[in-house]
Each structure stands twice: as C-alpha cells, then as structure tokens.
Amino acid sequence: MVGNRTGDETTLAAIREADSLADLHGLIGVNSDHDAYLRAKEEWEAAKRRQQATQGRSDGIPGRCVVVDGTEFHVHGVTHAGTPQERTFLRDHVSRFLERGATVYCEQGIRQMYFSDFSGVCEMDDYRWAMNECSELDGESPLDDIPGMDFGSLREDVTSVASEFQAAVFSLIESGSEVYGERFERALGDVAAGFLMNHGDLAIADDFESYVLSREASTNPEKLDELQRYYHRTFLPQPLEREWLRRHDPKLELVSHARNERMADYVVYHNEDAEEVHLIVGAAHQPGVVYYLERYREGRELPPEFELF
C-alpha cells in the first residue's frame, strides 16, 4: 500500500470496484474471505484517514450531499441519543430547512424523539420494513422479546444484554481517562473491544471509538462531524459489509445496513419535484444511505417490488 494521495485514491477506487468478498482476494493478496475483509478494512481506514486530514470541517449540521436528477439529497448522521443538546441543535437547523421549502425525512424513531411537533418532517418506514423482512426469515422478529422495543425508542440491538454489558465496560474505561490519560484509555478500550466484539460487530463498528465519539457528540453536536468521519472511514462499501454481516448474523444485517438501502429507496420513491431534501439518520447509517443514493445518481432504478410499510 502506498501512503500518498495518488496511492490512497488508487486503493479506495480498487476496493469500491469489488462487489463481493471474493473480488478482494486478488486485490488484497490473500486466499480467504475472512483475511480479505479484515485487510481491506485496514487499508480503507488508513487511506480514508489520510484523506480526511486534508479536508475542512462542515458548517452547521454536517452531512453529505448527493445530487440525483437535479435534486440535492443531504444526508445528516446524528447520535439520536435523545439529549437536550442534540435536540436543540437539530430543531434549529431543521427549522431553517423547512422555512426555505426543503423536504425533511427522518429515520424511523427520530421524528418522535425530536420533531413530533414539526408537521413538515416525515418519518420513513425503514424499521417497520426491516421487521417485516426479519419475520420472513423464520416467522418471528428477532427483537420481539427485548423489553422496551418500539418504534419510538428505536433500540436497535438484537443482543441487548451483551450490548448493555459492553456499554458498562466502555463507560468504566472512559471514566478513568483523567487518571491514566487519553492515549492509554483508547488502547485499553481497543483491548476490551477485542474481547467483547464478535464478527458481526465488525460490520456495524460497535467498538470503543464509536462509543466515545457518540457520547461526546450527543452533548456537543459540534462533534457530529468527527463522528460522521469515523463511520465513513470505518465502513467498507455496502456490498462488502452486507455480505460479511449476512454470513455472520443475517438478522442484524437487516436491521442495520439493509435499512440504508431502504431509506435511499424511500426518499427517491417519494421525491417528485423537490430541489432540496434532507435526511436525518443515525450516524452509522449515513455512509450506507449515501452509497445507495450515489447508485441512483449513476442510473439505478427503484426495485420493482418496492412497497410502503
């Protein structure tokens, strides 16, 4: 791997061209899907990090814009942690979007959390769609038995007990950072994540760094830009992440990355003549939604089986 601008662009372009884990074998120089996936994530993350170091910070509410048939689709990744700071920040910016005639869509659950009194904000059906897809796998939803699961709270973990334990460990490590320093804190967090995370977690970036960045951004929305950058350098292009996750946890794939495609389909389906559309989604969904909107920019058409839920 060449650590310069030209080399990074070549690396990223080559990985983007891969439609499957098998496609990565020759590119990465390994013979197993497992090794190809892990090596590709390392090279992708390193190249993206160097690119991001030269990019300026976003003003206002950060996001990515994809123009499809003359319409600007702005995708804004947030923590949706329900904090007063993020609520005030988002309501202020979304009010401005609506005042100038823009269309605003939210990941299911976010509207109820932040914009229940904003008549101009629409809620997508991504979560309801995912639950329907899950039910078709084995006749029941993987989240039926999780206490507190509903569209309003939008608890997305299919392993809530393990997730709560992981959060407790990460919180304990973070609380000691003033004693042993931020550098050691991150190293300790990485070690803990190595013990707590499974193969499926690799595809949803459920690690210590995402935990810390999300916590910080939830109370200081000025750091949303940093959180968004993290996910954009951590996730490989969607076909690769989705193939990996389907092999290890197909239900988790449906309630995570598959919803990215659903949200992109939803806004393209509903858009008629709007020139400016904003999507407020969880930060981990932003790279995937952007990916599928870019496919529409390149000529993708709505799936013929698309229906509303």
Side-chain angles (χ1 to χ4, degrees), residues 127-151 153-160 251-252 255:
Y127 197 65
R128 187 175 293 108
W129 169 86
M131 291 299 93
N132 181 75
E133 294 295 304
C134 283
S135 68
E136 294 185 359
L137 285 182
D138 57 9
E140 61 181 25
S141 166
L143 307 181
D144 284 343
D145 297 329
I146 297 179
M149 175 59 66
D150 56 58
F151 296 131
S153 64
L154 197 61
R155 286 181 59 190
E156 297 178 7
D157 286 322
V158 299
T159 53
S160 62
K251 295 176 183 177
L252 183 56
V255 298

Side-chain angles (χ1 to χ4, degrees), residues 36-112:
Y37 175 77
L38 296 181
R39 187 77 60 80
K41 284 184 83 75
E42 290 178 0
E43 297 196 6
W44 177 274
E45 193 275 341
K48 279 282 191 178
R49 188 182 291 274
R50 284 189 291 268
Q51 280 192 344
Q52 290 175 350
T54 64
Q55 297 170 350
R57 298 291 173 175
S58 302
D59 294 325
I61 174 173
R64 299 292 179 97
C65 178
V66 181
V67 179
V68 181
D69 294 332
T71 297
E72 292 183 355
F73 289 94
H74 300 263
V75 187
H76 308 283
V78 302
T79 74
H80 57 62
T83 61
Q85 295 92 334
E86 185 171 72
R87 185 176 191 273
T88 299
F89 179 81
L90 293 179
R91 286 172 65 85
D92 179 56
H93 286 285
V94 168
S95 293
R96 299 178 195 177
F97 298 158
L98 296 173
E99 286 173 359
R100 61 175 181 252
T103 300
V104 179
Y105 294 97
C106 286
E107 173 188 336
Q108 196 165 5
I110 290 181
R111 184 182 185 278
Q112 182 175 333

